């Protein structure tokens, strides 16, 4: 919906005006319809608007919550429990008001996706908040001990550090990436930039320089395990209905699989006008065939686009401000491109369904129940190849395993540890990628599977792990999607490594590899094409290494990175 930016300090912030102006321009794609800012001695806060609900200037921000208190936000409020939501103001007004009052935990009463800030210019207090799933991003960084900058994207934070050595590489995040493909924390690849943890409302009092969490999301539970199928259907229908409210055109990425097909069936049943987009590699692909069957069955408008071979790695790295997780990130990027060409401003997506309903194939791996083997199921890198390239002993590899086993099992909820781990970290990164690639084309991403009621069902332990048991909910009895074999649309990573092999080898020969690894062994693997016979996790590790170095080159980082620290 928007982009937000702020620099708040115990001292005067006027010296950051030039950096602030550059930073707000770096968010223009997130809000091409309006830009505004408020400036005080101790704070500069800006906002770029993507108008979706209420298209006139009446709904521009900032919101004046009360005298001297201003609210800026990126997000949507879909429902508020036990209270009428005012419709003559922007939907976030109610959220701002309740946060400032501080009377109840907003995460238990609001179904909303948001990243917000409230600034009290009289009492010099800053409040930042983020939705419970992390649908909307919010990055934070301390310029110094008394100055904080926050923004919807890293690109709006970096100008405040230009010409300094205050930003470097976060080596812990690098290790996480090499093993999993994503951060496994709320830290970023920059050692002085983090993300505000999802499900957090945080306050900083500038007068005494104290800060604390006002609210954090707890695991809320549903009321009954009776008729769980009906509860699931009601929750998803309600979520689809609320998330399809828009004054701009709606779109949906229809793969023909369960997650997106379910959404399209429900949208069709609710008479919501929507354009569907189908990305495919070949016309024989299941994505092409099953989406076509749904098009014929429902008479929907389906726009198809054949996936291009990925070639602009740096372009995507620039959008994400991080290395690329996998070739799968190019799919929503190209879908957003075709959606923009068709004048779409809001995309409804199926993120969260696989995490909530345990739809990933690795969740069916029999080793998932073995506490000593769960790390090898969840990680995406081959530990043997990692040991070879980084010259790590079996003892050092075991240290790495033990560290992540402790992380995986430290949560105690009614859902399995591996599922909680995936929701907390993998889903969080998926949502970040979807936000950034869609917003690159000024498109908002909405996720009906990630609602307040669905969260209650999840943490009550009531959701069935078998999607086949849920396919009846779409009320179309032809089983078009329940019999579909799950396929991966992502471009073949092995072919991608072959395509970039020469550049990969050049990076090594020019000593531009930032990692502390054995260059000769890596070169042998590439030159001899050994990777063409390697397994999936070995290919992933080679992919992670390549993309990490592309990111380092893009950012101008040349310091060596050590897998276990220096």
């Amino acid at each position: 919906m928007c982009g937000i930016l702020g620099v708040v300090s115990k001292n005067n912030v006027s010296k950051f005006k030039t950096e602030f102006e550059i930073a707000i321009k770096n968010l223009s794609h997130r809000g091409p319809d309006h830009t505004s800012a408020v400036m005080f001695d101790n704070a500069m806060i800006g906002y770029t608007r993507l108008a979706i609900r209420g298209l006139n200037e009446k709904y521009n921000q900032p919101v004046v919550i009360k005298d001297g208190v201003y609210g800026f936000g990126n997000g949507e409020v879909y429902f508020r429990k036990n209270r009428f939501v005012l419709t003559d103001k922007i939907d976030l007004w109610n959220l701002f008001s309740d946060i400032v009052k501080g009377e109840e935990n907003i995460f238990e009463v609001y179904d909303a996706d948001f990243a917000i800030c409230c600034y009290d210019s009289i009492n010099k207090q800053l409040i930042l908040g983020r939705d419970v799933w992390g649908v909307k991003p919010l990055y934070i960084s301390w310029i110094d001990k008394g100055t904080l900058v926050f923004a919807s994207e890293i690109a709006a934070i970096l100008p405040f550090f230009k010409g300094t050595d205050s930003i470097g590489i976060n080596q812990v995040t690098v290790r996480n990436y090499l093993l999993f493909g994503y951060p496994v924390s709320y830290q970023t690849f920059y050692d002085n930039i983090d993300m505000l943890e999802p499900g957090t409302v945080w306050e900083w009092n500038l007068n005494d320089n104290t800060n604390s969490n006002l609210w954090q999301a707890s695991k809320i539970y549903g009321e009954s395990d009776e008729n769980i199928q009906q509860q699931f259907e009601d929750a998803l229908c309600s979520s689809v209905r609320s998330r399809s409210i828009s004054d701009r055109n709606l779109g949906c990425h229809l793969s023909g699989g369960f997650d997106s097909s379910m959404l399209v069936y429900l949208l069709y049943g609710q008479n919501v006008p929507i354009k569907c987009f189908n990305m495919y590699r070949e016309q024989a692909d299941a994505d092409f065939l099953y989406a076509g069957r749904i098009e014929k069955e429902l008479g929907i408008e389906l726009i198809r686009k054949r996936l291009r071979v990925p070639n602009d790695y740096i372009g995507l790295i620039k959008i994400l401000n991080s290395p690329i997780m996998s070739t799968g990130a190019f799919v929503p990027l190209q879908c957003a491109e075709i959606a923009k060409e068709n004048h779409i401003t809001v995309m409804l997506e199926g993120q969260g369904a696989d995490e909530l309903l345990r739809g990933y194939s690795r969740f069916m791996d029999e080793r998932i129940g073995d506490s000593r083997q769960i790390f090898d199921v969840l990680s995406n890198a081959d530990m043997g190849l990692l040991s070879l390239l980084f010259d790590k002993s079996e003892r050092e590899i075991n240290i790495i395993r033990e560290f992540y086993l402790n992380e995986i099992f430290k949560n105690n909820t009614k859902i399995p540890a591996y599922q909680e781990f995936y929701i907390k970290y993998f889903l969080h990164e998926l949502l970040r990628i979807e936000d950034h690639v869609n917003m690159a084309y000024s498109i908002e991403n909405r996720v009906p599977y990630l609602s307040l009621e669905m969260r209650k069902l999840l943490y009550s332990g009531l959701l069935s792990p078998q999607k086949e048991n849920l396919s009846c909910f779409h009320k179309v009895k032809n089983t078009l999607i329940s019999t579909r074999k799950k396929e991966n649309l992502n471009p073949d990573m092995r072919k991608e490594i072959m395509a970039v092999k020469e550049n990969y080898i050049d990076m090594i020969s020019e000593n531009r590899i930032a990692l502390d690894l054995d260059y000769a062994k890596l070169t042998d693997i590439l030159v001899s094409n050994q990777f063409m016979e390697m397994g999936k996790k070995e290919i992933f590790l080679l992919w992670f290494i390549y993309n990490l170095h592309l990111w380092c080159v893009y950012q101008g980082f040349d310091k060596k990175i050590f897998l276990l620290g220096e």
Side-chain angles (χ1 to χ4, degrees), residues 7 373 402 405 561:
V7 55
Q373 297 190 69
E402 287 297 325
L405 284 172
I561 305 170

Side-chain angles (χ1 to χ4, degrees), residues 13-262:
V13 296
S14 60
K15 65 180 180 179
F16 296 111
K17 185 176 181 181
T18 299
E19 291 85 351
F20 184 88
E21 291 173 348
I22 295 171
I24 200 73
K25 289 179 181 178
N26 289 348
L27 294 177
S28 61
H29 55 282
R30 297 189 68 93
D33 298 319
H34 177 74
T35 300
S36 63
V38 293
M39 298 190 181
F40 308 97
D41 289 344
N42 297 92
M44 289 187 286
I45 304 173
Y47 155 86
T48 61
R49 183 188 181 199
L50 177 63
I52 293 175
R53 296 169 66 179
L55 303 184
N56 59 42
E57 63 183 18
K58 173 183 176 181
Y59 297 93
N60 290 340
Q61 297 182 31
V63 175
V64 180
I65 305 168
K66 60 182 183 180
D67 287 349
V69 182
Y70 300 84
F72 288 88
N74 165 31
E76 302 281 355
V77 171
Y78 305 112
F79 173 75
R80 200 247 187 249
K81 184 179 179 181
N82 298 331
R83 188 184 299 172
F84 180 70
V85 174
L86 297 176
T87 57
D88 62 334
K89 301 176 182 288
I90 72 166
D91 56 336
L92 288 176
W93 187 92
N94 302 273
L95 182 64
F96 289 140
S97 179
D98 283 347
I99 286 176
V100 170
K101 290 177 183 176
E103 295 175 353
E104 57 184 329
N105 191 332
I106 62 166
F107 300 111
E108 296 180 5
V109 296
Y110 274 95
D111 182 18
D113 302 330
F114 62 87
I116 60 94
C117 76
C118 301
Y119 183 67
D120 185 334
S121 62
I122 298 173
N123 296 307
K124 292 184 171 52
Q125 293 176 321
L126 172 70
I127 295 177
L128 300 178
R130 192 170 177 220
D131 68 79
V132 70
W133 299 104
V135 176
K136 302 300 181 185
L138 186 59
Y139 299 89
I140 57 175
S141 180
W142 292 95
I143 298 176
D144 55 48
K145 291 182 179 180
T147 306
L148 178 75
V149 59
F150 59 88
S152 297
E153 294 188 13
I154 290 174
I157 289 181
L158 293 178
F160 292 91
F161 293 95
K162 188 174 182 180
T164 74
D165 57 0
S166 301
I167 290 287
I169 298 173
N170 187 321
Q171 300 208 25
V172 173
T173 301
V174 167
R175 182 186 65 199
N176 293 340
Y177 174 73
L178 289 172
L179 294 172
F180 293 90
Y182 48 94
V184 195
S185 72
Y186 302 117
Q187 299 175 17
T188 72
F189 286 85
Y190 303 84
D191 62 5
N192 191 28
I193 302 176
D194 297 323
M195 299 192 79
L196 185 67
E197 183 174 345
T200 299
V201 175
W202 175 86
E203 180 184 47
W204 179 28
N205 187 318
L206 278 67
N207 293 312
D208 58 11
N209 198 27
T210 59
N211 65 81
S212 61
N213 291 330
L214 294 179
W215 299 108
Q216 282 194 295
S218 58
K219 303 298 186 291
I220 54 178
Y221 304 109
E223 298 176 358
S224 170
D225 61 357
E226 296 180 2
N227 201 355
I228 181 60
Q229 290 190 350
Q230 189 62 49
Q231 289 186 59
F232 177 89
E233 182 177 4
D234 290 346
L236 188 56
C237 285
S238 175
S239 183
V240 168
R241 185 177 299 109
S242 62
R243 283 160 175 77
S244 62
I245 298 173
S246 171
D247 295 327
R248 306 289 287 270
N249 294 332
L250 295 171
C252 182
H253 177 194
L254 175 60
S255 69
F258 175 87
D259 309 336
S260 60
S261 298
M262 183 75 131

Side-chain angles (χ1 to χ4, degrees), residues 419-436:
Q419 186 180 16
E420 178 75 9
F421 181 85
Y422 244 54
I423 289 171
K424 190 174 181 180
Y425 298 125
F426 180 70
L427 176 60
H428 180 262
E429 180 66 2
L430 284 184
L431 292 170
R432 188 186 77 90
I433 292 171
E434 289 286 342
D435 172 90
H436 284 26

Side-chain angles (χ1 to χ4, degrees), residues 249-277:
N249 294 332
L250 295 171
C252 182
H253 177 194
L254 175 60
S255 69
F258 175 87
D259 309 336
S260 60
S261 298
M262 183 75 131
L263 298 182
V264 172
Y265 277 122
L266 292 175
L267 289 162
Y268 174 80
Q270 295 174 12
N271 297 314
V272 176
I274 193 165
K275 290 182 180 180
C276 294
F277 301 90

Side-chain angles (χ1 to χ4, degrees), residues 441-469:
Y441 292 94
S442 303
I443 295 173
E444 178 176 75
N445 186 48
R446 294 183 181 177
V447 280
Y449 286 99
L450 301 180
S451 68
L452 176 65
E453 292 304 312
M454 293 291 278
R455 186 165 176 268
K456 290 179 181 179
L457 292 177
L458 169 70
Y459 286 110
S460 297
L462 301 179
L463 288 180
S464 167
Q466 301 298 324
K467 285 191 178 183
E468 290 79 1
N469 296 336

Side-chain angles (χ1 to χ4, degrees), residues 527-545:
V527 171
S528 64
N529 288 340
Q530 292 178 42
F531 63 88
M532 295 302 291
E533 305 299 324
M534 285 182 168
K536 181 178 179 180
K537 290 196 173 187
E538 293 170 307
I539 294 297
F540 261 116
L541 181 55
L542 295 178
W543 165 271
F544 297 152
I545 291 171

